[in-house]
Amino acid sequence: MRTTSRSESKNNFFSQFHRQSDSLCEFYLRFGSAMDRQRYEYDRLNQEDLSAIPSTVSKLFIEADAAQLYTRPIFYKIQQDILASCYDMRIQDIGPLVDGVKCYIMKDVLKKDKLFEVKVSQNHADCSCKKFVMCGILCRHAFCALNHFEVVKIPRLLVLNRWSRTAENRPSSSKFVGVSDDFRKMETVSLMVSNIWFSFQKSMNKAGVDVEKLSYVDKVVKQLNYDLGDGSGLTKKAHMERFVRQRDKAIKEGNKRARKCKFCQSSVHNARTCPQKNNSSAVDAEKNKSSTEKNKSSTVDVTGEAEVDSGHED
């Protein structure tokens, strides 16, 4: 949302509580009422989102678990994939169980002549379509394999914090972790990321509002980013450069005055390559030549007359 849109939205909201004839005291009281209204709406929407659970279509336990985990818009997308996993998937081959991991080869009815490979365990699922890597949501192929593997709950390693209903109540640990074929390593990395995150929060709580401690934490974090190679190739100008959208660039270019030829007022060429300029220069040259010849002839006539007059006087 742009700054102008935010300003108009705020003006529209506060215009319902204020009038132009309000005094300073009335403005203060009405402003407090407006802020109380915003807090009430925020708490009410949060309560509805946490207490209300969307209805499920099938009797699968994994769909009911998704309704408890995800926000409402994300759940509706996942619900479509769960239903598609029941009706549009055709399992072609099932591999043996090796170290708790089973491989499925399946075909999607909506995508002909294409096979998908899904590796599933009790705590993880990895599909060759890589939908989870792109948008952080499990695909229909993974749900089909999980249902066949008799998994009743979505693996918590595959539930990203930004899509969950309780995103504000817990740190995001899974969003830093990619999808890997080594499931044991995946669990170890996820545990390490969670421990590091909680350790950092503990350090920030100990620092509190002490300026010296916060400066020390900031110095250590910057040194750590430098050691890890984060942003070492960026200059100060690259950090401060403002991003300009294509629409703003087009508006700026459209507001510019087009350069025109000063002879014919055309925007196709400039004054140097103007065809009328060449024609006018040729005409001017002819005029100058004719005027020069006239001047010469008039000079000769005047000189001859002067000589004749001097002869008569003699």
Side-chain angles (χ1 to χ4, degrees), residues 22-160:
D22 290 343
S23 62
L24 181 60
C25 182
E26 291 176 344
F27 172 79
Y28 177 77
L29 295 176
R30 294 179 185 275
F31 182 80
S33 300
M35 298 306 297
D36 292 338
R37 172 72 177 276
Q38 279 190 341
R39 296 188 187 98
Y40 171 75
E41 289 294 329
Y42 179 78
D43 294 338
R44 183 181 64 83
L45 293 175
N46 283 341
Q47 180 63 25
E48 290 181 358
D49 184 64
L50 294 176
S51 60
I53 298 176
S55 59
T56 57
V57 179
S58 64
K59 296 182 179 180
L60 297 175
F61 293 104
I62 198 168
E63 183 184 1
D65 185 55
Q68 296 284 345
L69 290 176
Y70 295 100
T71 58
R72 191 176 294 267
I74 300 300
F75 169 72
Y76 289 144
K77 295 181 180 181
I78 292 177
Q79 189 180 45
Q80 294 177 359
D81 290 336
I82 292 175
L83 296 178
S85 67
C86 299
Y87 302 108
D88 298 337
M89 297 295 109
R90 302 292 184 269
I91 298 177
Q92 303 293 328
D93 188 16
I94 302 176
L97 184 64
V98 179
D99 295 333
V101 180
K102 184 176 288 189
C103 182
Y104 291 85
I105 304 297
M106 61 183 63
K107 181 180 180 181
D108 194 342
V109 177
L110 301 179
K111 297 181 180 180
K112 298 181 180 180
D113 301 332
K114 189 173 183 180
L115 298 178
F116 298 92
E117 181 182 2
V118 185
K119 296 179 181 179
V120 180
S121 68
Q122 291 292 336
N123 300 320
H124 197 75
D126 185 16
C127 181
S128 60
C129 70
K130 301 300 180 183
K131 181 179 179 180
F132 182 79
V133 178
M134 291 185 291
C135 56
I137 301 175
L138 285 177
C139 59
R140 59 185 65 187
H141 321 110
F143 281 118
C144 179
L146 289 172
N147 289 328
H148 191 273
F149 200 67
E150 297 181 356
V151 177
V152 296
K153 290 186 177 182
I154 299 176
R156 295 304 183 259
L157 291 175
L158 303 177
V159 180
L160 299 187

Side-chain angles (χ1 to χ4, degrees), residues 259-269 274 276:
R259 301 182 65 179
K260 296 182 180 180
C261 177
K262 65 180 181 180
F263 292 99
C264 62
Q265 301 299 322
S266 176
S267 60
V268 180
H269 55 266
C274 181
Q276 294 185 7

Side-chain angles (χ1 to χ4, degrees), residues 3 25 31 38 45 57 60 68 134 146-147 159 164 191 194 212 216 219 235 237 241 245 269 285 295 302:
T3 306
C25 182
F31 182 80
Q38 279 190 341
L45 293 175
V57 179
L60 297 175
Q68 296 284 345
M134 291 185 291
L146 289 172
N147 289 328
V159 180
S164 63
L191 181 60
S194 299
E212 295 182 357
Y216 177 73
K219 182 179 179 181
T235 60
K237 184 177 180 181
E241 186 176 358
R245 299 184 302 172
H269 55 266
N295 293 332
V302 171

Side-chain angles (χ1 to χ4, degrees), residues 167-276:
E168 297 180 354
N169 299 331
R170 61 186 179 89
S172 177
S173 59
S174 58
K175 67 179 181 180
F176 298 104
V177 183
V179 179
S180 175
D181 295 334
D182 191 357
F183 301 109
R184 295 180 181 178
K185 182 179 178 181
M186 185 73 180
E187 295 176 359
T188 305
V189 172
S190 178
L191 181 60
M192 291 179 63
V193 171
S194 299
N195 293 334
I196 293 172
W197 181 262
F198 284 116
S199 298
F200 178 74
Q201 283 189 335
K202 186 177 180 180
S203 301
M204 291 298 298
N205 292 333
K206 287 184 177 180
V209 294
D210 193 348
V211 178
E212 295 182 357
K213 293 181 179 179
L214 291 175
S215 301
Y216 177 73
V217 173
D218 183 49
K219 182 179 179 181
V220 172
V221 171
K222 288 182 179 179
Q223 182 64 32
L224 181 61
N225 291 332
Y226 179 78
D227 295 338
L228 295 176
D230 184 14
S232 58
L234 297 178
T235 60
K236 184 177 180 181
K237 184 177 180 181
H239 286 288
M240 298 177 63
E241 186 176 358
R242 188 175 71 89
F243 175 75
V244 182
R245 299 184 302 172
Q246 294 294 333
R247 181 173 178 270
D248 296 336
K249 290 182 180 179
I251 293 174
K252 185 177 180 181
E253 292 293 334
N255 293 333
K256 288 184 178 180
R257 187 176 63 180
R259 301 182 65 179
K260 296 182 180 180
C261 177
K262 65 180 181 180
F263 292 99
C264 62
Q265 301 299 322
S266 176
S267 60
V268 180
H269 55 266
N270 53 17
R272 184 179 298 176
T273 59
C274 181
Q276 294 185 7

